Amino acid sequence: MKKKGFCGICPDKCPIEATVEDGRLIKVEPDRDCPGGRVCPRGALSPQIVYSEKRIRKPLIRNGEKGSGAFREATWEEALDAAAAGFMKIKERYGADALVSYVGSSGREAATMRCFNGVNAFFKNLGSHNDMSCGCICNVSSNMMTPVLTYGVPTPKLYQDISNSEVVFIWGKNSKTDSGPLTTLELVKAAKARGAKIIVIDPRGEGMAELADWWIPVIPGADGALAVAMLKIIVEEERYDKVFVNEYTKGFDEFAGYLRTVSLEEMSECCGISMEDIRKLTDIFCSTTKISLISYTGLEYQLSGVQNNRAIQILWAITGKIDVPGGICIASKKNPTIPLRPMETVEDAVGAKEFPLYSRLTGSGQFVKIPEAVLHDDPYPVRGMLICAASPAITYPEQSLWHEVYKKLDCLVVLDRFMTDDAKYADVILPATTYYEDQSVVPVQGGMRLRNRIIEPVGEAKSDVFILQELAERMGFGDAYPKNDEELMLWMCGGNEQLLDRLKKSEYGVVNPPEIQYEKYKTGELREDGKPGFPTPSGKFEISSTYIAECGYTPYPKYEDIRSVKEMGSKEEYPLIMTTAARSALRFCSFGPGLKEIAEREPLPTIDMNAEDAKRYGLEDGEEAIVETVFGKGEFKVRICPMAKGSIHIAGGAGSFYMEGEWKKHNVNEICSMKYSDPLSGFLTFKSVPCKVTSIK
């Protein structure tokens, strides 16, 4: 039997056609009748993953020391009762804020995320301010903070008009290894085929750089230096759109004053791009308004990540590339101004006082500060944690620190499909379904579509949403979440029965493609109040951000180089810059290396470096070498490949006892740190870490 639907290995909704025999998933292929139909190398292994012997099939309760990995099988009733009792005991003793939830990237399914956000946030029902997610280290800085603080709208409301572009800039994103339908990649290929110039700015020369007309090998973390250098040339040579700047921007003169204080020589040295190439790149950039920008999370993990990202957006704005054919367009109308929450409404969340801008924009605490709350009761004790489809011990730096965190918790409950380094310390483990086993409604571009169940749940696994509902039932707020498929689908439709009925009758969902209209900021159609401008506090495109200033930071993009952090060591001692955890077509965050079939195809993380640097440091392709930072040392195998001079890349996601082969060790996050963050977002700087590489020989 053939069934059409979405791939169920990750939340990114690639349209597929599944072969099911006797109720068992046999094969997964792209849905050729649906735009975006795709099966990635990971998705192709769906049957092996779904039925893996490593799959958690029954609830487990710890029956040994924390961290021993000793568990016994339990009934759902016993496991849920134990989890709920553990959390309620903590609430009674320490208060609701002692409870923290964390949902990971593997749990980004729409219904699951709704259980951890806004009015439905899980522990919020008990009064906690500490429901958090992988947004604390991924996506939010680029997709929410940067555009909201600049345009007034989040990235999902921006549209890259690639089909009309004469030049496409791909900056810090590799669309060849994206999860989800590769729509952007196909648009870039089509643009190149019709003669558009493709420029890729990235430390890594593989992937999108292979399609480029010009690869710009920027030093990791120094994207802001390149953007500031280009802006300096454009502003000081008056190559900007004076009408737009005068009528529609805030803070231009202030920012221009800053640009006069920096030198091209300094910015060139920081980013590793010659002044000649910076000028050549700027000339191309100023040659047309028809330039689109493909960018994403690669720019987040930098010392001034939000501001670096904002500097790039300002490049487009002041040169007339906003809301025009071939540029960055805003695909929404009548946008309200997103408010900055009063500090008193978020200050009780862990991390809010250290990162007020992040918390006041998102309404969330910052998970990077959870270890201090658990281990040092700062700002107060945290003693209970619920982890859903995540592995902070692998995806955050300092793995041993997270082990200590888990040991001190009075109650740790994990919802997942496979054992993780974190689950090893859990008191209760609850088996969750893959998305092949769920029935739901999910957003798609321009609308919504049913996620139809492909197979029945494996073993005793249950949907994350239904696990949370049953847990909530025991804690007094079971009515916050749906109890069955029909309730869940209607919940995701906002109670709109007519919409749900339409979705049930529509194989590919109810979709209304956005109507693209240009220069809406001139007509008043961007803003809810109908006035010309942008939906920001000032009504302008904010070069100097009102909200950033209100939170006490420099309001315009001021570049901060990682080399300015003296505690990370001198350039003489640590001459290279390390970036980590670039996307893989096989692995998804920390998910993958625990499965033999995936580990066989990608056997181990490597030190990726260019041939010139390898020769300089006496290294050969395939040999073992030591990577050292001020935070520690690690052994990895050298792989010579296209990389920016003076930089290396090492894959993340390794280091769990439950992983296969070499993936059990080689955790690059062990030589990174929890101490250094972008002060605006709290995002850690583990994509720009000074290091050195030496041969073991």
Side-chain angles (χ1 to χ4, degrees):
M1 176 190 297
K2 300 282 189 179
K3 289 187 177 183
K4 291 190 176 186
F6 290 116
C7 181
I9 291 305
C10 83
D12 285 325
K13 304 185 290 286
C14 292
I16 57 96
E17 185 173 73
T19 301
V20 179
E21 296 179 4
D22 298 324
R24 190 176 178 89
L25 181 66
I26 301 299
K27 187 178 182 181
V28 176
E29 299 171 285
D31 182 351
R32 303 296 183 187
D33 298 324
C34 183
R38 177 204 180 199
V39 173
C40 72
R42 193 173 55 248
L45 293 170
S46 290
Q48 296 95 314
I49 294 171
V50 168
Y51 302 113
S52 169
E53 61 182 16
K54 293 189 174 185
R55 181 87 185 267
I56 303 172
R57 287 172 163 79
K58 293 185 177 182
L60 302 172
I61 291 179
R62 179 170 58 83
N63 67 347
E65 292 294 320
K66 283 196 175 190
S68 66
F71 295 92
R72 63 173 177 83
E73 293 183 353
T75 65
W76 271 104
E77 289 294 316
E78 182 186 11
L80 289 165
D81 286 347
F87 288 143
M88 294 306 291
K89 184 177 179 181
I90 290 168
K91 179 182 179 294
E92 291 165 8
R93 180 175 179 183
Y94 296 101
D97 279 333
L99 298 171
V100 172
S101 69
Y102 186 83
V103 58
S105 189
S106 295
R108 282 188 294 103
E109 184 69 347
T112 303
M113 290 302 292
R114 186 171 172 180
C115 296
F116 291 99
N117 288 329
V119 296
N120 295 297
F122 191 78
F123 283 131
K124 185 175 183 178
N125 290 280
L126 297 177
S128 175
H129 294 82
N130 291 320
D131 291 290
M132 304 185 199
S133 75
C134 55
C136 292
I137 59 163
C138 182
N139 182 275
V140 168
S141 176
S142 290
N143 272 15
M144 193 271 187
M145 295 184 73
T146 291
V148 167
L149 295 168
T150 314
Y151 301 92
V153 298
T155 294
K157 292 188 176 183
L158 299 179
Y159 169 77
Q160 303 300 327
D161 196 14
I162 299 169
S163 297
N164 292 309
S165 297
E166 295 175 355
V167 183
V168 179
F169 270 59
I170 303 169
W171 202 325
K173 177 178 168 67
N174 195 337
S175 299
K176 273 194 171 182
T177 55
D178 280 353
S179 53
L182 298 183
T183 307
T184 301
L185 176 62
E186 296 309 313
L187 287 170
V188 171
K189 287 180 177 178
K192 184 177 178 67
R194 62 174 167 76
K197 186 182 292 291
I198 310 299
I199 294 177
V200 173
I201 303 172
D202 200 298
R204 305 177 73 226
E206 297 177 307
M208 294 306 286
E210 295 164 354
L211 290 175
D213 294 286
W214 190 12
W215 168 44
I216 310 292
V218 67
I219 293 291
D223 303 270
L226 177 56
V228 165
M230 293 174 67
L231 283 162
K232 181 178 176 67
I233 293 169
I234 290 167
V235 170
E236 294 184 356
E237 295 181 4
E238 298 188 7
R239 300 169 74 178
Y240 55 89
D241 183 332
K242 294 180 177 62
V243 173
F244 181 86
V245 166
N246 291 334
E247 295 185 13
Y248 297 106
T249 68
K250 173 183 179 290
F252 178 82
D253 290 340
E254 186 179 19
F255 184 50
Y258 163 68
L259 293 175
R260 287 192 290 272
T261 70
V262 302
S263 70
L264 289 180
E265 292 84 357
E266 176 191 6
M267 295 298 102
S268 170
E269 182 178 353
C270 288
C271 69
I273 309 301
S274 71
M275 287 191 289
E276 179 184 359
D277 280 347
I278 292 173
R279 286 194 173 276
K280 178 182 174 184
L281 182 63
T282 306
D283 288 342
I284 294 172
F285 188 75
C286 292
S287 67
T288 176
T289 59
K290 294 184 175 183
I291 302 181
S292 51
L293 170 67
I294 299 169
S295 185
Y296 194 46
T297 59
L299 304 175
E300 294 183 321
Y301 311 95
Q302 304 176 1
L303 194 59
S304 50
V306 170
Q307 294 288 38
N308 291 352
N309 231 326
R310 291 184 70 242
I312 294 168
Q313 306 301 323
I314 292 166
L315 274 169
W316 264 254
I318 69 170
T319 54
K321 299 176 178 63
I322 299 298
D323 232 15
V324 296
I328 299 176
C329 300
I330 301 176
S332 61
K333 299 180 180 180
K334 304 300 180 185
N335 298 284
T337 298
I338 295 173
L340 189 67
R341 294 168 177 82
M343 187 63 190
E344 56 266 24
T345 66
V346 298
E347 62 185 354
D348 290 333
V350 171
K353 292 180 180 177
E354 292 87 351
F355 305 108
L357 180 63
Y358 176 87
S359 291
R360 293 179 66 185
L361 270 179
T362 65
S364 170
Q366 187 28 289
F367 197 71
V368 297
K369 290 297 180 183
I370 285 297
E372 294 177 27
V374 175
L375 299 175
H376 306 295
D377 297 350
D378 181 14
Y380 45 73
V382 165
R383 292 294 181 269
M385 189 179 296
L386 172 66
I387 296 178
C388 177
S391 182
I394 299 300
T395 53
Y396 283 72
E398 299 185 45
Q399 185 175 20
S400 56
L401 174 71
W402 290 98
H403 292 172
E404 293 304 311
V405 166
Y406 298 146
K407 286 178 184 177
K408 191 170 180 181
L409 292 173
D410 293 344
C411 183
L412 173 61
V413 176
V414 172
L415 282 64
D416 221 321
R417 295 114 187 107
F418 295 90
M419 289 296 292
T420 64
D421 215 55
D422 316 72
K424 184 169 66 172
Y425 291 84
D427 297 284
V428 179
I429 302 175
L430 302 173
T433 49
T434 67
Y435 302 123
Y436 285 116
E437 301 152 61
D438 290 348
Q439 182 73 29
S440 186
V441 172
V442 296
V444 294
Q445 188 171 13
M448 306 183 82
R449 181 181 168 184
L450 288 184
R451 176 187 281 281
N452 287 312
R453 181 175 289 114
I454 302 293
I455 56 172
E456 292 301 312
V458 171
E460 296 181 17
K462 296 184 180 185
S463 160
D464 292 308
V465 176
F466 298 148
I467 296 173
L468 293 167
Q469 191 281 326
E470 292 191 53
L471 189 55
E473 193 78 54
R474 289 161 170 78
M475 298 166 67
F477 54 97
D479 290 341
Y481 310 112
K483 301 178 177 64
N484 55 52
D485 289 346
E486 196 67 22
E487 286 188 12
L488 190 154
M489 289 188 290
L490 190 59
W491 189 58
M492 293 304 293
C493 290
N496 188 331
E497 294 182 359
Q498 289 182 326
L499 173 59
L500 179 56
D501 187 57
R502 287 178 65 197
L503 289 172
K504 289 179 178 179
K505 296 174 181 177
S506 305
E507 184 175 26
Y508 292 114
V510 176
V511 177
N512 298 301
E515 179 185 345
I516 300 302
Q517 183 177 338
Y518 301 117
E519 295 188 326
K520 295 182 291 298
Y521 60 86
K522 291 183 178 180
T523 63
E525 292 177 272
L526 273 186
R527 291 171 54 170
E528 189 175 48
D529 60 12
K531 295 180 180 180
F534 291 80
T536 60
S538 66
K540 308 276 190 178
F541 179 94
E542 296 205 340
I543 295 172
S544 286
S545 165
T546 302
Y547 289 162
I548 293 176
E550 186 175 330
C551 289
Y553 304 106
T554 301
Y556 54 79
K558 181 181 179 182
Y559 176 67
E560 300 288 348
D561 195 76
I562 198 69
R563 295 288 186 187
S564 68
V565 182
K566 302 304 181 187
E567 292 80 3
M568 286 196 178
S570 68
K571 190 172 183 178
E572 291 70 31
E573 187 174 4
Y574 298 100
L576 300 169
I577 297 291
M578 176 179 71
T579 183
T580 68
R583 289 186 183 275
S584 161
L586 277 162
R587 295 174 287 108
F588 183 79
C589 302
S590 60
F591 173 75
L595 302 172
K596 180 178 66 175
E597 294 84 358
I598 291 178
E600 285 175 348
R601 288 162 172 77
E602 192 174 357
L604 77 169
T606 57
I607 307 168
D608 299 339
M609 66 191 314
N610 69 42
E612 185 180 342
D613 283 336
K615 183 177 181 180
R616 178 180 294 110
Y617 299 111
L619 301 166
E620 296 179 1
D621 189 58
E623 77 162 286
E624 295 286 335
I626 296 173
V627 179
E628 182 177 354
T629 71
V630 295
F631 312 114
K633 299 178 181 180
E635 292 186 13
F636 302 87
K637 187 169 288 188
V638 173
R639 183 174 77 97
I640 295 177
C641 60
M643 281 290 299
K645 183 179 178 181
S647 69
I648 65 169
H649 166 260
I650 300 176
S656 172
F657 173 79
Y658 297 102
M659 291 180 177
E660 290 283 330
E662 292 295 309
W663 287 96
K664 289 181 186 291
K665 45 190 179 179
H666 306 302
N667 184 354
V668 68
N669 283 345
E670 284 287 76
I671 59 173
C672 298
S673 173
M674 293 286 293
K675 294 179 182 177
Y676 301 99
S677 301
D678 174 358
L680 273 63
S681 66
F683 277 43
L684 300 165
T685 60
F686 52 3
K687 281 191 183 291
S688 53
V689 182
C691 69
K692 62 181 176 182
V693 182
T694 54
S695 175
I696 291 179
K697 293 186 295 187

Coordinates of all heavy atoms in Angstrom, one line a residue, residues 66 90 94 371-377 381-384 401-411 425:
K66 N 22.1 7.6 39.6 CA 21.9 8.5 38.5 C 23.2 8.5 37.6 O 24.3 8.5 38.1 CB 21.7 10.0 39.0 CG 20.3 10.3 39.5 CD 20.1 11.7 39.6 CE 18.7 12.0 40.1 NZ 18.3 13.4 40.0
I90 N 8.5 19.0 44.1 CA 9.5 20.1 43.9 C 8.7 21.5 44.0 O 9.2 22.4 44.7 CB 10.2 20.0 42.6 CG1 11.2 18.8 42.6 CG2 11.0 21.3 42.2 CD1 11.7 18.4 41.3
Y94 N 9.9 24.1 46.7 CA 10.8 25.2 46.2 C 10.0 26.3 45.4 O 10.5 27.4 45.2 CB 11.8 24.7 45.2 CG 12.8 23.8 45.8 CD1 12.7 22.4 45.7 CD2 13.9 24.3 46.6 CE1 13.7 21.6 46.2 CE2 14.9 23.5 47.1 CZ 14.7 22.1 47.0 OH 15.7 21.2 47.5
P371 N 22.5 25.8 34.3 CA 23.5 25.2 35.1 C 23.7 26.0 36.4 O 23.9 25.4 37.5 CB 24.7 25.1 34.3 CG 24.2 25.0 32.9 CD 23.0 25.9 32.9
E372 N 23.8 27.3 36.3 CA 24.0 28.1 37.5 C 22.9 28.0 38.5 O 23.1 28.0 39.7 CB 24.3 29.6 37.1 CG 25.6 29.7 36.3 CD 25.8 31.2 35.9 OE1 25.3 32.1 36.5 OE2 26.5 31.4 34.8
A373 N 21.6 27.9 38.0 CA 20.5 27.8 38.8 C 20.4 26.5 39.5 O 20.1 26.4 40.7 CB 19.2 28.0 38.0
V374 N 20.8 25.4 38.8 CA 20.8 24.1 39.4 C 21.9 23.9 40.4 O 21.7 23.4 41.5 CB 20.8 23.0 38.3 CG1 20.9 21.6 39.0 CG2 19.6 23.1 37.4
L375 N 23.1 24.3 40.0 CA 24.3 24.0 40.8 C 24.6 25.0 41.9 O 25.2 24.7 42.9 CB 25.5 23.8 39.9 CG 25.5 22.7 38.8 CD1 26.7 22.8 37.9 CD2 25.4 21.3 39.5
H376 N 24.2 26.2 41.7 CA 24.5 27.3 42.6 C 23.3 28.1 43.1 O 23.5 29.1 43.8 CB 25.5 28.3 42.0 CG 26.7 27.6 41.4 ND1 27.7 26.9 42.2 CD2 27.2 27.4 40.1 CE1 28.6 26.4 41.4 NE2 28.3 26.7 40.2
D377 N 22.1 27.6 42.8 CA 20.9 28.3 43.2 C 20.8 29.8 42.8 O 20.3 30.6 43.5 CB 20.7 28.2 44.7 CG 20.5 26.7 45.2 OD1 20.4 25.9 44.3 OD2 20.6 26.5 46.4
P381 N 16.9 28.1 43.3 CA 17.1 26.7 43.0 C 16.2 26.2 41.9 O 15.0 26.6 41.9 CB 16.7 26.0 44.3 CG 16.7 27.1 45.4 CD 16.4 28.4 44.7
V382 N 16.8 25.5 41.0 CA 16.0 24.7 40.0 C 16.3 23.3 40.3 O 17.4 22.8 40.3 CB 16.4 25.1 38.5 CG1 15.9 24.0 37.5 CG2 15.9 26.5 38.2
R383 N 15.2 22.5 40.5 CA 15.4 21.1 40.9 C 14.6 20.1 40.0 O 14.8 18.9 40.2 CB 14.9 21.0 42.4 CG 15.8 21.7 43.4 CD 17.1 21.1 43.4 NE 18.0 21.8 44.4 CZ 18.8 22.8 44.2 NH1 18.9 23.3 42.9 NH2 19.5 23.3 45.1
G384 N 13.8 20.6 39.1 CA 13.0 19.6 38.3 C 13.2 20.0 36.8 O 13.1 21.2 36.5
L401 N 29.7 19.3 32.7 CA 28.9 20.2 33.5 C 27.4 19.8 33.5 O 26.8 19.8 34.6 CB 29.0 21.6 32.9 CG 28.1 22.7 33.5 CD1 28.6 23.1 35.0 CD2 28.2 24.0 32.7
W402 N 26.9 19.4 32.4 CA 25.5 19.0 32.3 C 25.3 17.7 33.0 O 24.2 17.5 33.6 CB 25.1 18.8 30.8 CG 25.0 20.2 30.2 CD1 25.9 20.8 29.4 CD2 23.9 21.1 30.3 NE1 25.5 22.0 29.0 CE2 24.3 22.3 29.6 CE3 22.7 21.1 31.0 CZ2 23.4 23.4 29.5 CZ3 21.9 22.2 30.9 CH2 22.2 23.3 30.2
H403 N 26.3 16.8 33.1 CA 26.1 15.6 33.9 C 26.0 16.0 35.4 O 25.1 15.4 36.1 CB 27.4 14.7 33.7 CG 27.5 14.1 32.4 ND1 28.6 13.4 32.0 CD2 26.6 14.1 31.3 CE1 28.4 13.0 30.8 NE2 27.2 13.4 30.3
E404 N 26.7 17.0 35.8 CA 26.6 17.4 37.2 C 25.2 18.1 37.4 O 24.6 17.9 38.5 CB 27.7 18.5 37.6 CG 29.1 17.8 37.6 CD 29.2 16.7 38.5 OE1 28.8 16.8 39.7 OE2 29.7 15.6 38.1
V405 N 24.7 18.8 36.5 CA 23.4 19.4 36.6 C 22.4 18.3 36.8 O 21.5 18.4 37.7 CB 23.1 20.2 35.3 CG1 21.6 20.5 35.2 CG2 23.9 21.5 35.3
Y406 N 22.4 17.3 35.9 CA 21.4 16.2 36.0 C 21.5 15.4 37.3 O 20.5 15.0 37.9 CB 21.6 15.2 34.8 CG 21.3 15.9 33.5 CD1 22.1 15.5 32.4 CD2 20.4 17.0 33.3 CE1 21.9 16.1 31.1 CE2 20.3 17.6 32.1 CZ 21.0 17.1 31.0 OH 20.8 17.7 29.8
K407 N 22.7 15.3 37.8 CA 22.9 14.5 39.1 C 22.2 15.3 40.3 O 21.7 14.7 41.2 CB 24.4 14.4 39.4 CG 25.1 13.3 38.6 CD 26.6 13.3 39.0 CE 27.3 12.3 38.1 NZ 28.8 12.3 38.4
K408 N 22.2 16.6 40.2 CA 21.7 17.4 41.3 C 20.2 17.6 41.2 O 19.5 17.9 42.2 CB 22.4 18.8 41.4 CG 22.0 19.5 42.7 CD 22.9 20.8 42.8 CE 22.5 21.5 44.2 NZ 23.3 22.7 44.4
L409 N 19.6 17.4 40.1 CA 18.1 17.5 40.0 C 17.4 16.5 40.8 O 17.8 15.3 40.9 CB 17.7 17.3 38.5 CG 18.1 18.4 37.5 CD1 17.7 18.0 36.1 CD2 17.4 19.8 37.9
D410 N 16.3 16.9 41.5 CA 15.5 15.9 42.2 C 14.6 15.1 41.3 O 14.2 14.0 41.6 CB 14.6 16.7 43.2 CG 15.4 17.4 44.3 OD1 16.5 17.0 44.5 OD2 14.8 18.3 45.0
C411 N 14.3 15.7 40.1 CA 13.4 14.9 39.2 C 13.8 15.3 37.8 O 13.6 16.5 37.4 CB 11.9 15.2 39.5 SG 10.8 14.2 38.4
Y425 N 20.5 9.9 32.9 CA 20.4 10.5 34.2 C 19.0 10.6 34.7 O 18.7 11.1 35.8 CB 21.1 11.8 34.3 CG 22.6 11.7 34.2 CD1 23.3 11.6 33.0 CD2 23.4 11.7 35.4 CE1 24.6 11.5 32.9 CE2 24.8 11.6 35.3 CZ 25.4 11.5 34.0 OH 26.8 11.4 33.9

